[in-house]
Amino acid sequence: MIAHASSHGRVFALLSCKGGVGTTQLTVQLGRLLAQRWQLNVLIVDWVHPFGDAALLLSTEDPHTHLGDLLRQPERLDAALLDSALLRPQPRLAVLAAAEKANLQPLLQHQAVQRLITLARERFDCILCDCGRQFDPLLMALLQDADRVMPVFQPTLAMIRDARRLLVALLEAGIGPDRVLPVLNRMETRHQPLLDLLEQVLGTRLQHRLPEHPDFAVPLHQTRDHSWQHGMVRLAATLARKPEPQDDPSGILQRWWRKQWRWNPQPPEKLP
Ligand SMILES: Nc1ncnc2c1ncn2[C@@H]1O[C@H](COP(=O)(O)OP(=O)(O)OP(=O)(O)O)[C@@H](O)[C@H]1O
Ligand SMILES: [Mg+2]
């Protein structure tokens, strides 16, 4: 992995408004996109404890060190220790697996989280934290430092109620609307007329909406149907603060070649 010691990575905390809302898959897909298409150095931190599953979705390796191991010893936490704790499923994508337990001294937590985030910012362009929905002091310490807090929810009554509760809780914790970037997942055409109402109820714009799609969990390069990815690419561009990089002119030929390969049952070189 190429680390830019001078760069200042940005931290994104993805929060679930309810269990199963899609936060882990979204974190993983965004991480892959930013690493593959934007060529950014991305760190995914699994903040769900215990039993987070982000590392499992990305790597077959068994992590020997977890987030909790690092947070328990902030005085020893340096770049080398962080590096040794990471799984690297792709050259530009690293994962710090979930803590198995989090019995930290309350006073240590903020200091430990700050140390971890400072180190991560020095080494990565983007730090995506899958936070699940545990509103504990450990998470609060992270949210205070995060550049953007991203509540993920779906257009159902219960989820909207919880999304509203979460937005209020964030506001009370001093996280203002300028740092909050809500993501509406599993949006279907029939939900479109509800959008204005949803924005009114939540008191915020819902610019980032992801459709319901069976390929949601499929690694992006393996799926043939790219139509559903627009929302994800738009969101990734917002996090990267630049549009998706376009291929150079010589890449046009490569894309045409790839398309031939996809449409034909055999690679083009084998056709008569
Ligand atoms: N837009 C979508 N279209 C289709 N399937 C989706 C979509 N979003 C999420 N899913 C599916 O929902 C399931 C739950 O997703 P995921 O594990 O990411 O949720 P989670 O919020 O992390 O859950 P947990 O609370 O268990 O951590 C997965 O099978 C995922 O593929
Ligand atoms: Mg999850």
Side-chain angles (χ1 to χ4, degrees):
M1 189 210 54
I2 307 156
H4 303 286
S6 58
S7 69
H8 192 73
R10 301 181 78 223
V11 177
F12 304 100
L14 290 92
L15 295 180
S16 301
C17 290
K18 258 206 182 326
V21 75
T23 307
T24 303
Q25 289 290 357
L26 175 59
T27 309
V28 165
Q29 292 289 36
L30 283 174
R32 286 184 182 131
L33 255 181
L34 291 165
Q36 288 168 6
R37 299 207 196 155
W38 273 262
Q39 298 278 296
L40 296 176
N41 290 316
V42 179
L43 171 63
I44 290 179
V45 184
D46 196 339
W47 217 265
V48 178
H49 59 90
F51 315 136
D53 44 17
L56 184 71
L57 294 181
L58 280 163
S59 172
T60 48
E61 269 181 73
D62 210 7
H64 54 83
T65 311
H66 304 92
L67 172 66
D69 300 327
L70 299 189
L71 294 183
R72 233 173 272 121
Q73 42 186 339
E75 66 294 336
R76 279 196 56 218
L77 183 51
D78 59 12
L81 186 62
L82 174 60
D83 265 357
S84 70
L86 303 179
L87 300 176
R88 295 182 193 279
Q90 290 171 21
R92 289 179 179 273
L93 183 60
V95 193
L96 179 56
E100 301 277 296
K101 51 188 174 202
N103 52 351
L104 307 163
Q105 298 295 324
L107 282 176
L108 262 188
Q109 290 180 359
H110 200 198
Q111 183 203 349
V113 171
Q114 273 183 337
R115 178 90 191 110
L116 176 70
I117 294 301
T118 304
L119 278 172
R121 282 189 198 275
E122 285 167 8
R123 303 187 66 68
F124 294 90
D125 303 307
C126 261
I127 299 113
L128 300 172
C129 304
D130 174 8
C131 299
R133 69 187 308 246
Q134 294 128 312
F135 235 69
D136 57 16
L138 199 61
L139 177 66
M140 291 315 297
L142 172 71
L143 297 188
Q144 297 306 330
D145 276 1
D147 294 84
R148 286 281 181 283
V149 177
M150 300 167 57
V152 183
F153 69 104
Q154 297 178 8
T156 68
L157 198 58
M159 295 241 192
I160 293 160
R161 187 195 58 174
D162 278 11
R164 200 180 146 77
R165 285 172 168 169
L166 184 57
L167 291 174
V168 171
L170 290 175
L171 208 57
E172 286 172 0
I175 297 155
D178 54 318
R179 282 171 62 206
V180 178
L181 189 67
V183 180
L184 179 56
N185 188 22
R186 297 194 113 144
M187 170 99 183
E188 293 177 63
T189 322
R190 68 192 164 91
H191 296 128
Q192 200 66 35
L194 292 176
L195 207 56
D196 282 349
L197 186 64
L198 274 182
E199 290 186 338
Q200 270 176 37
V201 169
L202 294 173
T204 181
R205 293 285 320 279
L206 298 174
Q207 286 170 331
H208 292 287
R209 309 185 287 269
L210 302 171
E212 168 78 32
H213 198 282
D215 279 359
F216 190 74
V218 177
L220 299 170
H221 63 278
Q222 284 175 16
T223 172
R224 289 177 176 212
D225 179 358
H226 294 264
S227 60
W228 68 277
Q229 289 182 18
H230 294 310
M232 192 83 77
V233 169
R234 231 177 123 238
L235 181 53
T238 302
L239 305 195
R241 292 196 289 191
K242 51 186 172 193
E244 184 181 13
Q246 296 302 311
D247 293 347
D248 59 33
S250 61
I252 292 172
L253 198 61
Q254 279 190 347
R255 261 184 292 160
W256 176 83
W257 192 257
R258 279 202 300 269
K259 264 192 197 151
Q260 299 301 308
W261 197 88
R262 227 180 314 143
W263 289 338
N264 290 309
Q266 294 172 309
E269 63 268 29
K270 295 209 179 134
L271 290 175

